[in-house]
Amino acid sequence: MSTILITGANRGIGLEFARQFHAEGWKVWGTSRSLNNARKLRGLISSENVIELDVSQADQVETMGNQLREQNIELNCLINNAGVMTDRVGIDKILQDDMIQAFKVNSAGPVMLVQRLLPMLKSGCKIVNISSLMGSIVDNNSGGYYSYRMSKAALNMAVKSMSQDLRRNHISVFAFHPGWVRTRMGSAIAPVSKKRSVNGMMRVLEQLSMSDTGKFYNFKGEELPW
């Protein structure tokens, strides 16, 4: 049985990933910043496989890594899905604290998690980092959203660097844009359902290999500009 770890799996895109991978027979591990908010996830997978984790907190990342190592967990896939949009404002209202928090969660968090879990990532493991087209410098024609855009652009650079560093381990690394999805972050007017977005990303992931590592795709399988 293949094993996957999904961060931010208690709601939205993360919970849909957990639901669809579980339905396909994977052993699913999921994280949530608070176990009190993970009722749906705990009803879907074993409660023992739900871990409390704030990816911006180094001590929690270390604790989770120890917990998985003690159980001799080996991962075939890791989805860095946990993310935050700290503001939606322009240059006149942006706060430094917002930018720092977004960077800690959206950019540094996934990198530090991969570092801690590296001994548990099997050869052939695929790492998916949920990014956004809003992190594309080429695509930015409207400005604003400084914290989110900057943190996702930084995540994209991390994907490129990790793809180079992990080649020797035969581990591939990708950035995915899930589309504008109907979630709490994406809003109720977003055109793409969670089910469609996640199913699309899973089908794309199935087709990707080491020759594709370090690239940026949307849920339709189209390669995106950095």
Side-chain angles (χ1 to χ4, degrees), residues 13-30:
I13 290 173
L15 181 60
E16 186 62 28
F17 266 123
R19 181 177 291 114
Q20 293 196 31
F21 272 103
H22 177 72
E24 293 194 0
W26 285 62
K27 182 176 182 180
V28 177
W29 290 77

Side-chain angles (χ1 to χ4, degrees), residues 85-217:
M85 183 178 285
T86 54
D87 65 79
R88 302 171 189 260
V89 301
I91 188 65
D92 55 330
K93 294 182 179 179
I94 184 67
L95 300 174
Q96 186 180 66
D97 286 348
D98 288 336
M99 290 190 285
I100 291 172
Q101 181 62 16
F103 183 84
K104 288 177 68 176
V105 175
N106 296 344
S107 315
V111 175
M112 302 314 296
L113 189 63
V114 169
Q115 180 192 67
R116 183 63 189 87
L117 297 179
L118 192 55
M120 290 160 253
L121 304 181
K122 296 187 68 173
S123 176
C125 180
K126 295 180 179 180
I127 300 174
V128 173
N129 299 274
I130 301 301
S131 183
S132 171
L133 191 58
M134 292 182 75
S136 169
I137 294 173
V138 172
D139 186 73
N140 186 356
N141 297 308
S142 59
Y145 293 84
Y146 281 81
S147 298
Y148 192 70
R149 287 188 185 278
M150 292 166 64
S151 64
K152 291 300 186 179
L155 174 63
N156 289 349
M157 178 58 81
V159 166
K160 193 66 176 178
S161 286
M162 286 192 290
S163 73
Q164 299 296 332
D165 290 341
L166 300 182
R167 283 180 183 272
R168 61 180 178 270
N169 302 84
H170 207 71
I171 295 171
S172 52
V173 189
F174 310 100
F176 271 22
H177 167 55
W180 184 13
V181 184
R182 288 192 294 276
T183 62
R184 184 187 303 178
M185 184 184 294
S187 81
I189 66 171
V192 182
S193 70
K194 296 185 289 289
K195 182 177 180 180
R196 179 187 173 203
S197 172
V198 168
N199 185 259
M201 287 188 284
M202 288 175 62
R203 300 291 79 81
V204 174
L205 185 61
E206 286 178 355
Q207 303 301 316
L208 298 179
S209 66
M210 283 300 303
S211 63
D212 306 302
T213 190
K215 295 182 179 180
F216 185 16
Y217 295 95

Side-chain angles (χ1 to χ4, degrees), residues 26-123:
W26 285 62
K27 182 176 182 180
V28 177
W29 290 77
T31 77
S32 172
R33 279 189 297 174
S34 170
L35 294 182
N36 292 331
N37 297 327
R39 179 179 57 82
K40 291 183 179 179
L41 180 62
R42 297 173 79 174
L44 176 67
I45 64 176
S46 170
S47 294
E48 296 177 354
N49 289 15
V50 180
I51 303 172
E52 192 167 59
L53 174 69
D54 180 340
V55 297
S56 70
Q57 301 301 310
D59 58 334
Q60 293 188 29
V61 171
E62 180 69 17
T63 297
M64 188 201 70
N66 290 339
Q67 182 178 342
L68 295 178
R69 186 191 43 144
E70 289 169 1
Q71 298 186 58
N72 297 313
I73 301 301
E74 293 185 321
L75 297 173
N76 304 97
C77 187
L78 167 64
I79 298 185
N80 282 312
N81 167 73
V84 63
M85 183 178 285
T86 54
D87 65 79
R88 302 171 189 260
V89 301
I91 188 65
D92 55 330
K93 294 182 179 179
I94 184 67
L95 300 174
Q96 186 180 66
D97 286 348
D98 288 336
M99 290 190 285
I100 291 172
Q101 181 62 16
F103 183 84
K104 288 177 68 176
V105 175
N106 296 344
S107 315
V111 175
M112 302 314 296
L113 189 63
V114 169
Q115 180 192 67
R116 183 63 189 87
L117 297 179
L118 192 55
M120 290 160 253
L121 304 181
K122 296 187 68 173
S123 176

